[in-house]
Amino acid sequence: EETAGRGPSSLQRDVVKSLLNVGIGGVQEEYTDPSSGYSVDIKIAGCKVVIEVDGPTHYSHLGKEPLGNTRIKRRHLECLGYTLLTVPYWRWYHGLTAEVKCRRLRGVLARQLRG
């Protein structure tokens, strides 16, 4: 979620907290890819897994369809060899307990970090 240069959003901070709670080390916030200049919300150190925490400004106001600039960034990151995980705001905040959030992150990341 964009916060106009004010630092990470509360949504992003919550995702980072959950990553740390499941024992994921090397969480880098606001990482900038040196070859493209793209800033990503979260990068896991030692691998090419990045996490974009997408708030409402990344989606059309009529639905859950990502805007063009969000789609382009996702494609470019994948072309650069990153495994991109996206955390949409409506899935994160949709009545999930902290335990469920941690369990989901653990499962998704375990699959990515093994591969």
Side-chain angles (χ1 to χ4, degrees), residues 2-69:
E2 296 173 333
T3 56
R6 294 183 306 235
S9 67
S10 60
L11 173 61
Q12 182 176 327
R13 286 192 303 272
D14 192 40
V15 172
V16 168
K17 179 181 171 186
S18 296
L19 287 167
L20 296 173
N21 285 342
V22 298
I24 300 297
V27 175
Q28 300 173 278
E29 287 188 78
E30 305 300 321
Y31 173 82
T32 300
D33 175 73
S35 64
S36 68
Y38 274 121
S39 174
V40 296
D41 295 330
I42 301 164
K43 181 181 182 300
I44 307 301
C47 63
K48 290 198 82 164
V49 174
V50 294
I51 302 170
E52 283 287 281
V53 182
D54 289 346
T57 59
H58 291 268
Y59 299 94
S60 68
H61 70 281
L62 298 175
K64 298 174 181 169
E65 200 59 38
L67 297 175
N69 58 343

Side-chain angles (χ1 to χ4, degrees), residues 60-105:
S60 68
H61 70 281
L62 298 175
K64 298 174 181 169
E65 200 59 38
L67 297 175
N69 58 343
T70 297
R71 287 176 177 217
I72 289 171
K73 181 178 179 181
R74 289 176 182 177
R75 272 190 237 126
H76 286 171
L77 288 170
E78 289 172 348
C79 286
L80 289 166
Y82 288 101
T83 297
L84 173 64
L85 306 175
T86 302
V87 178
Y89 72 97
W90 72 86
R91 286 196 182 140
W92 192 255
Y93 283 141
H94 190 67
L96 299 180
T97 65
E99 182 182 334
V100 171
K101 290 174 184 177
C102 289
R103 190 171 42 232
R104 286 186 178 181
L105 279 174

